[in-house]
Amino acid sequence: QVQLVESGGGLVQAGGSLRLSCVASGSILRINDMAWGRQPPGKQRDLVAVITSGGSTNYADSVKGRFTISRDNARNTVYLQMNSLKPEDTGVYYCYVDSTLTSRSTIGTWGQGTQVTVSS
């Protein structure tokens, strides 16, 4: 159906930056909303940033002003630029893509996750 490949996670010191990427492939007719979620150790997964097909964005209060979500529709790719990282940003980051398939059905897909660790 839809496959997502994430990259860009790693270990960074507090105050540093990382850029996550997520490429979607499969029987995709159109990609609708795209998003990034975060799951800190021992906690539930929450959305941190969303971008609509029209380019509108929304952020969790904890990342506003530090994270920027963007997309490249020609490449079926969503990015998350993370600046001024804090130890509390540590977690597994998952991309999410809402797609309309060539079959005309709609499906939401989560990526496999990429680890981000911010040291103090």
Side-chain angles (χ1 to χ4, degrees):
Q1 301 271 7
V2 177
Q3 295 79 42
L4 302 178
V5 178
E6 299 160 344
S7 60
L11 173 64
V12 64
Q13 288 187 333
S17 299
L18 284 174
R19 188 192 195 208
L20 307 182
S21 301
C22 174
V23 182
S25 62
S27 302
I28 300 171
L29 177 65
R30 181 179 64 251
I31 292 181
N32 306 311
D33 292 353
M34 307 178 87
W36 287 94
R38 175 174 70 191
Q39 186 166 14
K43 297 183 179 180
Q44 68 178 20
R45 184 185 310 176
D46 292 318
L47 284 177
V48 296
V50 178
I51 185 166
T52 69
S53 57
S56 297
T57 59
N58 198 17
Y59 299 92
D61 288 343
S62 60
V63 306
K64 280 182 181 177
R66 301 186 298 120
F67 290 11
T68 302
I69 188 171
S70 61
R71 61 191 286 169
D72 183 337
N73 293 326
R75 292 180 170 82
N76 287 351
T77 301
V78 60
Y79 304 97
L80 185 67
Q81 178 67 44
M82 306 185 292
N83 298 328
S84 302
L85 282 162
K86 304 175 181 180
E88 51 263 43
D89 294 318
T90 294
V92 180
Y93 284 70
Y94 300 87
C95 69
Y96 174 83
V97 172
D98 181 83
S99 311
T100 300
L101 305 181
T102 53
S103 63
R104 298 301 194 273
S105 62
T106 300
I107 185 173
T109 306
W110 285 98
Q112 81 285 357
T114 184
Q115 177 70 43
V116 171
T117 302
V118 184
S119 63
S120 58

